Amino acid sequence: MVSRARENLSGAFLMKNFKQHLAEAVNRPPKWKKDTSYGEGGAQTIEFPKTKVKYRVSKFLDDDERHRGEWNVEGWDNLRKDWVWSETVRPKAWAKELCIYRGQFEHDRYGAPTNNQVADYSKTFKYRGHY
């Protein structure tokens, strides 16, 4: 039954869908990966191949070493070879979206985003109000 359905589709239709799929795949942000080097667990990193920028989202622990739903957004500093804290936000989805938003832009040698946008991942955003 599957072969009959494929016979009904024209080659031009299949090629159009494939080209559309490739265009959407280019505008997708990279995948998140677990960061096993971080002690508390729950940390995830993302690296943007176009801009060579890395961000990490990790749990924020209060004075009692408890996680209360807040997340640290950290960027990789190439000069220090260490993670640099950027801000603490909640929920985790917002923290991840901030990283993806910042990963769209080129960064200077100190790790700060510039106004030069290299990629556009805005279709994947759930929240509004990026700065």
Side-chain angles (χ1 to χ4, degrees):
M1 180 157 27
V2 174
S3 61
R4 286 185 184 167
R6 287 195 176 229
E7 289 175 5
N8 293 337
L9 296 175
S10 67
F13 178 75
L14 290 174
M15 186 54 79
K16 179 183 174 190
N17 282 345
F18 182 68
K19 287 181 180 177
Q20 185 180 11
H21 171 73
L22 285 179
E24 290 174 0
V26 168
N27 292 330
R28 252 185 242 146
K31 301 263 186 203
W32 287 90
K33 297 177 184 162
K34 289 185 180 180
D35 187 6
T36 56
S37 66
Y38 197 65
E40 291 86 29
Q44 294 181 339
T45 61
I46 188 169
E47 184 172 358
F48 295 91
K50 290 182 180 179
T51 57
K52 306 285 190 261
V53 178
K54 290 195 285 189
Y55 283 101
R56 176 169 76 179
V57 173
S58 60
K59 292 180 180 179
F60 173 76
L61 303 177
D62 63 3
D63 295 334
D64 298 329
E65 297 294 319
R66 295 196 58 187
H67 175 62
R68 304 218 184 252
E70 294 181 328
W71 296 85
N72 289 329
V73 176
E74 303 165 332
W76 180 256
D77 187 359
N78 287 327
L79 298 176
R80 295 185 197 172
K81 304 289 185 208
D82 196 14
W83 295 102
V84 177
W85 175 84
S86 175
E87 61 185 306
T88 303
V89 296
R90 68 169 43 171
K92 185 178 183 179
W94 173 244
K96 285 183 164 186
E97 196 164 301
L98 281 177
C99 295
I100 292 172
Y101 174 75
R102 293 176 186 167
Q104 298 181 115
F105 300 96
E106 282 187 359
H107 289 60
D108 61 9
R109 64 184 189 142
Y110 301 109
T114 62
N115 290 333
N116 188 13
Q117 187 170 359
V118 177
D120 183 21
Y121 304 129
S122 60
K123 291 182 180 178
T124 63
F125 292 160
K126 177 182 173 184
Y127 300 99
R128 299 288 177 239
H130 299 285
Y131 52 90

